[in-house]
């Protein structure tokens, strides 16, 4: 959802991320299968459910298979 790790960390520290309904301020918070992540972005809110954890950083096409969109505006 963010182009870089630093941009993703900034979203977390600025309070734009919730994990299972709870706001988090820890950029390195571990998430796993079944966790629901809510992101408040400039272009809308996205709600995602983790399907499985990735084993490496990879391209978008691989990352997209690790979660499903369950709500919000895309």
């Amino acid at each position: 959802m963010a182009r870089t790790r630093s941009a993703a960390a900034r979203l977390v520290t600025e309070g734009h991320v919730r994990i299972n309904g709870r706001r988090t301020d820890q950029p390195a918070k571990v998430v796993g299968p079944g966790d629901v992540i809510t992101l408040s972005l400039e272009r809308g809110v996205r709600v995602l459910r983790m399907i499985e954890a990735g084993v490496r950083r990879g391209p978008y096409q691989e990352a997209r298979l690790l979660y499903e969109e369950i709500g919000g505006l895309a």
Side-chain angles (χ1 to χ4, degrees), residues 42-74:
E42 281 185 23
R43 54 197 176 274
V45 174
R46 295 184 78 175
V47 182
L48 313 168
R49 178 177 295 123
M50 294 297 300
I51 297 171
E52 65 180 280
V55 293
R56 68 181 186 96
R57 289 185 66 201
Y60 169 79
Q61 294 81 2
E62 286 180 28
R64 177 63 186 98
L65 300 174
L66 302 176
Y67 65 88
E68 65 179 332
E69 188 102 23
I70 60 171
L73 305 171

Side-chain angles (χ1 to χ4, degrees), residues 12 17-20 22 24-37 50 52-54:
V12 173
V17 179
R18 290 180 179 264
I19 299 174
N20 297 322
R22 292 193 174 135
T24 183
D25 58 0
Q26 300 173 341
K29 180 87 171 164
V30 176
V31 293
D35 285 339
V36 174
I37 301 163
M50 294 297 300
E52 65 180 280

